Amino acid sequence: MMRETTDPDGRTATVPTIDHTGGVTLINSFVVPVGREDEFQARWTEASGYFRAQPGYLSLRLHRAISPDAHYRFVNVARWESLEAFQAAHGTEEFRRVVGAPGWEAFPSSPALYEVVVEHEAPQPSHV
């Protein structure tokens, strides 16, 4: 069961207990109270600067729910080159400082790691 946390020690996903090779995707779902979206996005934008500068970082997307009854109103999807790169970026004192900054306690999150098992993309239109 996913846990919601505001504790800086819990703001990173648990790692697999089996060997893993290849990339990993962090999916981190956030509870954001109505009316505090701008505050959350400002904090997320600041924190994302740390991750974008880390070795092994590949991409980052922040999704906002448009379903009015969504429990997790924002979902962060970050791709990492490897499990080791993810762990290195999430194991620093700077990481703890960033995710433990005052104000983050208002936005509990549920981080988990995933791997891609199936991928489909729409065909690109041909240009004549």
Side-chain angles (χ1 to χ4, degrees):
M1 179 172 172
M2 291 183 76
R3 74 218 182 298
E4 291 175 5
T5 184
T6 59
D7 177 6
D9 289 330
R11 291 274 191 180
T12 189
T14 57
V15 297
T17 56
I18 58 171
D19 287 340
H20 177 80
T21 58
V24 295
T25 301
L26 169 70
I27 300 178
N28 198 357
S29 304
F30 292 88
V31 176
V32 176
V34 173
R36 299 191 68 184
E37 297 86 350
D38 291 344
E39 178 187 352
F40 170 78
Q41 282 190 258
R43 290 190 187 292
W44 182 89
T45 299
E46 181 181 332
S48 73
Y50 166 78
F51 296 108
R52 292 189 318 254
Q54 300 306 303
Y57 159 83
L58 296 175
S59 69
L60 188 58
R61 287 185 171 185
L62 181 63
H63 301 260
R64 181 179 58 209
I66 57 175
S67 296
D69 59 347
H71 178 69
Y72 295 111
R73 300 192 52 238
F74 285 84
V75 176
N76 174 75
V77 179
R79 291 180 39 244
W80 291 88
E81 177 179 281
S82 66
L83 178 60
E84 293 77 17
F86 169 84
Q87 287 178 290
H90 289 77
T92 68
E93 284 304 313
E94 180 66 8
F95 165 77
R96 288 182 51 70
R97 186 193 67 71
V98 167
V99 301
W104 269 114
E105 65 277 358
F107 308 113
S109 67
S110 297
L113 285 176
Y114 296 84
E115 65 181 346
V116 175
V117 293
V118 176
E119 185 172 4
H120 297 283
E121 292 188 20
Q124 297 297 316
S126 58
H127 297 287
V128 183

